[in-house]
Amino acid sequence: MNLATPIGQISRIGPIYAKRLQRMGIKEVKDLLFHFPHRYQDFSNIRAIRDVGLGEVVTILGKVLDIQNTRTPRKRMNITEAIVEDASGAIKAVWFNQPFLLQNLRPELHVVLSGKTSFANDSLFLSNPSYEVTRPEQELKHTGRIVPIYPETAGITSRWFRYVVKPLLPLAEKFPEYLPPEILQRQAIPRLSEALKHIHFPPTLEDAKLARKRIAFGELFLIQTVALKEKMKLRNTYAPEIHFDIELAKEFVTSLPFTLTDSQRASAWEILQDLEKPYPMNRLLEGDVGSGKTVVAAMAALQTIKANHQVAFMVPTEILAEQHFHNLTKLLDPWRVTVAILTHSAHRKTSQKVKYSAFKISKTRVAKETAEGKIDIIIGTHALIQDTVKFQNLGLIIIDEQHRFGVEQRAALCKTRTGNDEQKAIPHLLSMTATPIPRTLSLAIYGDLDLSLITHMPKGRKEIITKIIPPAGRSEAYQFIREQIQKGRQAFVICPLIEESEKLEAKAAIKEHETLQKKTFPDFKVALLHGKMKGKEKEKIMKEFQEKKADILVSTSVVEVGIDIENAAVMVIEGAERFGLAQLYQFRGRVGRGEHQSYCFLFTDSTAKTTRARLKALLTAKNSFELAEEDLKIRGPGDFIGSRQSDMPDLAMASLSDLEFVKAVRAEVEDVLSKDPELKTNPLLRAKYEAFRKEIHFE
Ligand code: ADP
Ligand code: MG
């Protein structure tokens, strides 16, 4: 037997279990060894039944002597009573309304019970203890006192996993150690083979902890190796060197109707310096909604254009394309730049002769003129630019508001390129996002990206008045919204987040829309937007809302309401406690864009103190970065990494809230790669890296 032996060939696993395992993605011996327990039961704390006192929380280990269900006559509640015995004595255990226990805890079985003791009807008993079927104490003694508890899914018990995994443990020796020995030593972590044995059957809880640390370290090490090697690869390619024209930058800054914030200035500086380099920029510009990312991008675009290169500006929706077309035309007007827009319904370019004006040209002409280099900057939706447009001399790609940060888009835009080296140069890439990424995550997972942060809002923004509204305050809040609408304002209503189900969320939004339209605000026009609608339909509704054809927009959380609606002054968030703080912050940023005082109401039914405390953080937060760190601690990385997440190993993910740990891994990866960029001296690590790269679908 070896690591690649199919589980069907293991004698202890019959065909039924083999099928169940396969459904969980466990196909070979090695997958079983990598199916980890999620916690441990520490039998070294087991108490003799004779010594158990009243009102104590205890764990006991014994044999079920008797078990039966009875009913309370009046309340018609089911009661399960069991008698459990160990060498020192016996005790009663009582559960309420769990009649099915009879099937699990049969007489003669050995069980571990943990719970609090109570006293009634002249006897001491364990009240509603947690339970687990286990092995006799004799046997436990020589298998160690710490027993792994596996997640019980797909009809497989924890006990079964122990039974199957234990005899396979010697095979852990066959996993090659891919981490260099000096790293193991420096970090004081065990070898992989030992870690695998200890993660399943640890001699002590401390060993279990170290084992988990080691596995997480290995996984993060590979993730970061992939990211850093990606960065190095890019460094070995060409990009057009775009001269940093300081005079031009100054001219641009003075042309603005406002002064740049310090962080806008710093970000622009970083970007313009990157553009000068002979290899492609790979930079992410992060800043809250409304922090002014567009001008920074425009500054980079202007430099690129004046250095005789073209710019592609890609956005997720048509409305956003229109908004950028409008803004960039204005911002770049003094330099007579030719700006074009290309979406399914819009295809125009600016006139060189008439200020701020654009005229319609056919899609084919937009494409043709771009190919001829007559268009300096083209703004459009991803798909369209990617598929239909070739550039004569593309120098910079700007990608706005999307999660995957454009690596694929750049690859697609580069694919068709032929010609000499100069023409084969890879364009610089600037992605922009309003999603704050916690530092551990950007280090660990987006380590190939350089970051620029806009941490401050432009001066003079009116603060959005934010209130947490309990159920009792609802009607008053509605009255307030009514007055706002009567004054001519508009409002957003965001429906509660329903984890994992866009469909249920859409359904809830439809219902909410109906209630608001029919009952609460029959005299206003309420519009509806949800994730199950087609892209075109969503765009139409957003556009109508922008044109003030509706007063209230009910929307699901999945819908990106990413455009400026200056007249919107109220943001209502239903079920606010279900959202991450950073996400709430983003929603709130959708109002307060114009001159009007704006409001954000966080509706919540939750009375838990912790919920209120968490929501209150939003009332004082200066930017969303702090909130993102907080979210990561409380909610894990799911909110931030979207599509990449499912491919990432669990323990690595769990370790992401530990900045020191992530940094330590990073430093080791940098050390290894700086001495041996191709990993030539470490073929095992190289093989592991290559396999892992495929596994997380990096290519
Ligand atoms: P986002 O970062 O969300 O893309 P935008 O670039 O759309 O933000 O900017 C939001 C608004 O703020 C725009 O109307 C823009 O003109 C304005 N703005 C940007 N920078 C400043 C600044 N430094 N001072 C004042 N207003 C600014
Ligand atoms: Mg923007």
Side-chain angles (χ1 to χ4, degrees):
M1 186 147 34
N2 60 45
L3 295 173
T5 304
I7 47 169
Q9 292 175 21
I10 300 172
S11 59
R12 294 184 165 204
I13 302 179
I16 293 175
Y17 275 89
K19 247 205 189 118
R20 289 181 187 167
L21 288 174
Q22 264 155 1
R23 242 179 282 140
M24 298 165 68
I26 299 176
K27 301 194 174 79
E28 299 169 357
V29 166
K30 77 165 174 355
D31 303 326
L32 260 178
L33 289 176
F34 268 90
H35 179 72
F36 300 144
H38 60 149
R39 61 186 180 88
Y40 305 88
Q41 177 79 258
D42 185 356
F43 288 100
S44 49
N45 283 332
I46 300 260
R47 291 274 288 280
I49 291 176
R50 190 183 48 211
D51 300 335
V52 170
L54 177 61
E56 281 186 299
V57 177
V58 292
T59 301
I60 60 153
L61 170 64
K63 192 165 75 175
V64 179
L65 286 184
D66 187 22
I67 181 163
Q68 50 192 326
N69 285 334
T70 55
R71 281 186 170 277
T72 53
R74 253 174 298 149
K75 290 188 189 158
R76 284 203 255 133
M77 192 195 281
N78 180 81
I79 295 182
T80 308
E81 287 189 344
I83 307 288
V84 176
E85 177 193 58
D86 71 4
S88 72
I91 192 169
K92 188 156 73 173
V94 176
W95 292 269
F96 300 97
N97 283 336
Q98 300 184 48
F100 53 86
L101 283 179
L102 239 54
Q103 279 140 46
N104 301 346
L105 303 179
R106 290 182 304 273
E108 294 300 309
L109 285 179
H110 291 262
V111 291
V112 176
L113 302 180
S114 298
K116 196 167 175 178
T117 53
S118 298
F119 192 81
N121 299 334
D122 297 331
S123 72
L124 189 69
F125 66 96
L126 274 168
S127 173
N128 264 326
S130 68
Y131 67 92
E132 192 178 356
V133 178
T134 180
R135 288 162 292 176
E137 184 161 29
Q138 269 337 77
E139 198 186 322
L140 278 173
K141 262 194 185 126
H142 58 91
T143 55
R145 310 291 287 180
I146 315 263
V147 171
I149 313 291
Y150 296 85
E152 301 206 342
T153 45
I156 305 182
T157 63
S158 189
R159 181 181 165 77
W160 187 90
F161 271 115
R162 288 196 291 266
Y163 162 76
V164 170
V165 171
K166 186 102 203 278
L168 296 176
L169 280 189
L171 289 170
E173 288 296 342
K174 298 199 180 202
F175 277 100
E177 180 55 73
Y178 59 90
L179 288 179
E182 56 291 358
I183 293 185
L184 300 183
Q185 215 170 41
R186 252 197 311 268
Q187 301 295 333
I189 46 175
R191 297 172 53 77
L192 180 59
S193 52
E194 185 178 309
L196 280 171
K197 287 181 199 164
H198 284 179
I199 203 168
H200 290 287
F201 290 92
T204 67
L205 284 178
E206 188 55 30
D207 290 317
K209 219 167 123 189
L210 267 177
R212 298 182 94 81
K213 181 175 169 191
R214 154 62 220 238
I215 307 273
F217 193 99
E219 290 170 351
L220 267 188
F221 191 93
L222 293 172
I223 294 173
Q224 299 206 33
T225 304
V226 171
L228 286 184
K229 276 193 67 71
E230 229 40 48
K231 196 168 183 167
M232 286 162 60
K233 264 190 218 159
L234 216 51
R235 294 242 156 140
N236 289 326
T237 59
Y238 293 104
E241 291 170 47
I242 291 165
H243 172 60
F244 186 166
D245 182 342
I246 295 187
E247 284 312 311
L248 181 63
K250 279 187 188 153
E251 258 177 52
F252 179 81
V253 171
T254 32
S255 78
L256 296 171
F258 45 72
T259 43
L260 290 180
T261 61
D262 288 346
S263 38
Q264 279 175 316
R265 224 174 261 278
S267 299
W269 185 267
E270 285 165 355
I271 293 164
L272 298 188
Q273 279 188 320
D274 271 7
L275 292 177
E276 280 202 305
K277 309 231 163 86
Y279 54 83
M281 167 169 79
N282 198 23
R283 190 168 277 281
L284 178 64
L285 177 62
E286 272 186 83
D288 287 343
V289 180
S291 63
K293 297 183 287 292
T294 318
V295 265
V296 176
M299 208 161 156
L302 180 60
Q303 295 270 342
T304 307
I305 293 163
K306 285 291 152 189
N308 291 321
H309 287 277
Q310 292 169 292
V311 178
F313 200 130
M314 296 158 80
V315 298
T317 65
E318 293 203 12
I319 310 178
L320 212 52
E322 288 284 357
Q323 188 177 302
H324 280 315
F325 181 67
H326 175 80
N327 289 338
L328 289 165
T329 301
K330 243 162 72 178
L331 285 167
L332 300 175
D333 183 73
W335 294 272
R336 295 288 151 202
V337 165
T338 305
V339 188
I341 179 171
L342 183 63
T343 68
H344 284 290
S345 47
H347 25 94
R348 309 195 295 282
K349 73 168 193 172
T350 50
S351 156
Q352 288 285 352
K353 303 208 177 74
V354 190
K355 208 169 162 64
Y356 300 155
S357 73
F359 58 92
K360 211 166 167 169
I361 58 172
S362 71
K363 283 185 191 174
T364 25
R365 247 192 78 204
V366 176
K368 185 164 172 281
E369 293 197 5
T370 310
E372 290 166 356
K374 286 184 185 152
I375 284 170
D376 297 318
I377 174 166
I378 177 169
I379 298 154
T381 38
H382 298 142
L384 215 60
I385 292 192
Q386 230 161 274
D387 298 344
T388 42
V389 181
K390 287 198 179 54
F391 291 83
Q392 193 199 42
N393 201 358
L394 183 60
L396 171 65
I397 301 167
I398 300 169
I399 302 196
D400 196 18
E401 299 285 0
Q402 66 140 28
H403 283 290
R404 300 205 68 175
F405 308 136
V407 178
E408 292 89 347
Q409 279 81 359
R410 171 156 62 187
L413 281 172
C414 291
K415 219 167 14 202
T416 54
R417 218 86 49 77
T418 51
N420 60 33
D421 272 355
E422 168 68 5
Q423 281 164 332
K424 264 194 278 187
I426 294 178
H428 296 285
L429 176 67
L430 175 66
S431 312
M432 302 198 282
T433 180
T435 309
I437 305 172
R439 201 163 136 57
T440 46
L441 238 72
S442 54
L443 260 182
I445 298 192
Y446 300 116
D448 50 333
L449 289 171
D450 292 313
L451 283 185
S452 290
L453 305 184
I454 303 185
T455 49
H456 291 91
M457 283 293 189
K459 278 208 188 72
R461 288 276 161 85
K462 280 207 187 88
E463 202 171 317
I464 298 162
I465 297 174
T466 305
K467 293 222 156 85
I468 301 169
I469 313 278
R474 189 174 277 267
S475 59
E476 197 186 333
Y478 281 147
Q479 183 52 34
F480 183 86
I481 295 168
R482 171 171 295 282
E483 285 159 19
Q484 285 289 313
I485 294 173
Q486 279 159 352
K487 281 187 197 160
R489 301 290 81 74
Q490 288 164 285
F492 288 106
V493 175
I494 305 285
C495 296
L497 180 73
I498 299 174
E499 220 76 60
E500 314 286 343
S501 175
E502 210 169 298
K503 203 164 143 199
L504 284 180
E505 210 170 289
K507 243 170 108 178
I510 292 168
K511 214 168 138 232
E512 176 71 17
H513 170 255
E514 198 183 297
T515 318
L516 286 181
Q517 180 67 86
K518 291 203 173 133
K519 299 214 176 92
T520 324
F521 299 115
D523 42 338
F524 297 144
K525 173 97 179 67
V526 186
L528 169 69
L529 193 64
H530 62 69
K532 284 275 143 196
M533 291 173 162
K534 292 225 165 62
K536 274 237 151 102
E537 202 179 348
K538 284 192 251 184
E539 295 239 352
K540 186 169 150 265
I541 291 163
M542 275 318 284
K543 196 146 192 243
E544 286 175 359
F545 192 60
Q546 198 177 31
E547 289 162 359
K548 220 173 163 246
K549 289 185 182 147
D551 306 297
I552 299 172
L553 181 67
V554 175
S555 162
T556 56
S557 64
V558 291
V559 175
E560 184 51 42
V561 250
I563 57 159
D564 275 345
I565 296 188
E566 298 206 345
N567 190 49
V570 183
M571 169 62 65
V572 171
I573 299 164
E574 291 279 355
E577 75 281 357
R578 300 197 198 181
F579 292 98
L581 291 174
Q583 205 179 357
L584 289 173
Y585 193 95
Q586 301 296 332
F587 285 135
R588 183 173 62 178
R590 299 296 173 203
V591 295
R593 314 298 299 262
E595 59 197 290
H596 314 290
Q597 174 60 53
S598 296
Y599 305 86
C600 175
F601 298 135
L602 305 169
F603 283 9
T604 177
D605 295 345
S606 166
T607 48
K609 264 207 185 103
T610 46
T611 309
R612 284 187 74 89
R614 197 165 76 83
L615 290 180
K616 271 199 178 136
L618 204 69
L619 274 48
T620 53
K622 287 278 170 293
N623 60 50
S624 60
F625 296 105
E626 304 162 20
L627 295 175
E629 304 280 347
E630 198 65 19
D631 277 345
L632 180 65
K633 270 190 227 132
I634 302 171
R635 297 160 58 94
D639 285 3
F640 303 100
I641 35 187
S643 53
R644 275 195 188 185
Q645 176 198 22
S646 53
D647 305 327
M648 295 292 175
D650 295 343
L651 285 187
M653 291 300 98
S655 66
L656 283 181
S657 51
D658 185 347
L659 182 60
E660 288 314 309
F661 184 65
V662 173
K663 274 188 182 161
V665 179
R666 169 81 170 209
E668 294 289 8
V669 175
E670 280 173 355
D671 185 52
V672 167
L673 289 180
S674 70
K675 289 178 192 145
D676 179 14
E678 295 309 317
L679 303 174
K680 282 197 185 107
T681 57
N682 194 340
L684 278 177
L685 177 57
R686 180 161 181 103
K688 191 82 191 162
Y689 150 77
E690 271 163 5
F692 186 73
R693 211 180 124 83
K694 290 215 177 73
E695 207 176 294
I696 62 171
H697 305 292
F698 210 86
E699 40 202 336

